[in-house]
Amino acid sequence: EDKVVQSPLSLVVHEGDTVTLNCSYEVTNFRSLLWYKQEKKAPTFLFMLTSSGIEKKSGRLSSILDKKELFSILNITATQTGDSAVYLCAPEGGTSYDKVIFGPGTSLSVIP
Amino acid sequence: NAGVTQTPKFRVLKTGQSMTLLCAQDMNHEYMYWYRQDPGMGLRLIHYSVGEGTTAKGEVPDGYNVSRLKKQNFLLGLESAAPSQTSVYFCASSEKREKLFFGSGTQLSVL
């Protein structure tokens, strides 16, 4: 059975802190891993990772995938209150058809 | 440029009633998904489709049916609604092995 675990489930930090969010997965025929940000509405896309060891960056956010150890991390540096959201990781894979399943999310609160 | 459109946005049902949620996408995507999201939880996959005329079960398919008669539409049906189906429902679409585009969600309450 496919499984996605995210840690921590909840995190409170002060503005300016750096955070690391973790995602581990067990997915048959793994293809890629997606990261999304959700702020009380539909999730918005952050990254898609397909290759191990290649860091993807977008401003203060970065992410990397380790296909051997079956995990990914999302880093946010110099956090701002606007980073407060739920961060979801979603591996893609499957037995018959490829599908995307989501982890439970990490709820990040950034306080001034 | 609509993207992914879900209708309705809100609905209240009584236990035992039936309803259909409609998802329409205008990006010519092959893959379409239905997820539900409950408070404090991530998105759980209900059913999905990899092309017109195909459907497959996700993680939590019981109590739901789907149809993909046209490539641009993916319908989610509740035959006999139960309070446990109170949730926010999200539809998404994608090309194969590409990022998902989400609709704005449907808030469903079953009393």
Side-chain angles (χ1 to χ4, degrees), chain A residues 1 13 20 23 32 41 44 51 55 73 76 87 91 96 107 111:
Chain A
E1 184 179 323
V13 300
T20 297
C23 173
S32 63
K41 49 188 178 183
T44 54
S51 301
E55 185 182 52
I73 61 172
I76 309 175
Y87 290 84
S96 305
S107 177
I111 55 178

Side-chain angles (χ1 to χ4, degrees), chain A residues 61-87:
Chain A
L61 279 66
S62 64
S63 184
I64 197 162
L65 175 68
D66 186 326
K67 291 167 75 172
K68 182 180 177 185
E69 300 297 331
L70 308 183
F71 78 89
S72 175
I73 61 172
L74 175 68
N75 283 315
I76 309 175
T77 59
T79 52
Q80 303 171 356
T81 55
D83 295 327
S84 296
V86 175
Y87 290 84

Side-chain angles (χ1 to χ4, degrees), chain A residues 31 36 38 42 48 98 100 104, chain B residues 31 35 37 42-43 97 100 103:
Chain A
R31 307 287 188 193
Y36 280 83
Q38 188 176 28
M48 181 174 183
D98 289 345
V100 177
Chain B
Y31 283 51
Y35 295 92
Q37 186 170 38
L43 297 157
R97 299 176 194 169
L100 273 65

Side-chain angles (χ1 to χ4, degrees), chain A residues 2-70:
Chain A
D2 297 331
K3 191 166 78 170
V4 186
V5 176
Q6 290 188 245
S7 65
L9 293 179
S10 178
L11 189 58
V12 180
V13 300
H14 289 278
E15 269 191 318
D17 288 349
T18 293
V19 298
T20 297
L21 310 183
N22 302 290
C23 173
S24 63
Y25 60 89
E26 294 176 24
V27 172
T28 305
N29 296 329
F30 173 81
R31 307 287 188 193
S32 63
L33 188 136
L34 304 163
W35 281 97
Y36 280 83
K37 177 183 181 182
Q38 188 176 28
E39 301 170 89
K40 297 188 182 299
K41 49 188 178 183
T44 54
F45 173 76
L46 295 175
F47 297 110
M48 181 174 183
L49 305 162
T50 56
S51 301
S52 278
I54 299 175
E55 185 182 52
K56 292 215 171 179
K57 292 197 72 170
S58 176
R60 295 176 294 103
L61 279 66
S62 64
S63 184
I64 197 162
L65 175 68
D66 186 326
K67 291 167 75 172
K68 182 180 177 185
E69 300 297 331
L70 308 183

Side-chain angles (χ1 to χ4, degrees), chain A residues 2 31-32 34 36 38 41-45 48 86 88 92 96-105, chain B residues 31 33 35 37 40-43 45 48 50 54-56 59 90 96-104:
Chain A
D2 297 331
R31 307 287 188 193
S32 63
L34 304 163
Y36 280 83
Q38 188 176 28
K41 49 188 178 183
T44 54
F45 173 76
M48 181 174 183
V86 175
L88 299 161
E92 179 185 20
S96 305
Y97 302 123
D98 289 345
K99 62 183 184 293
V100 177
I101 61 171
F102 283 79
Chain B
Y31 283 51
Y33 302 83
Y35 295 92
Q37 186 170 38
M41 298 182 72
L43 297 157
L45 182 63
Y48 63 109
V50 300
T54 72
T55 62
E59 302 169 281
F90 286 102
K96 187 175 183 178
R97 299 176 194 169
E98 294 290 333
K99 68 180 182 182
L100 273 65
F101 291 81
F102 282 87
S104 57

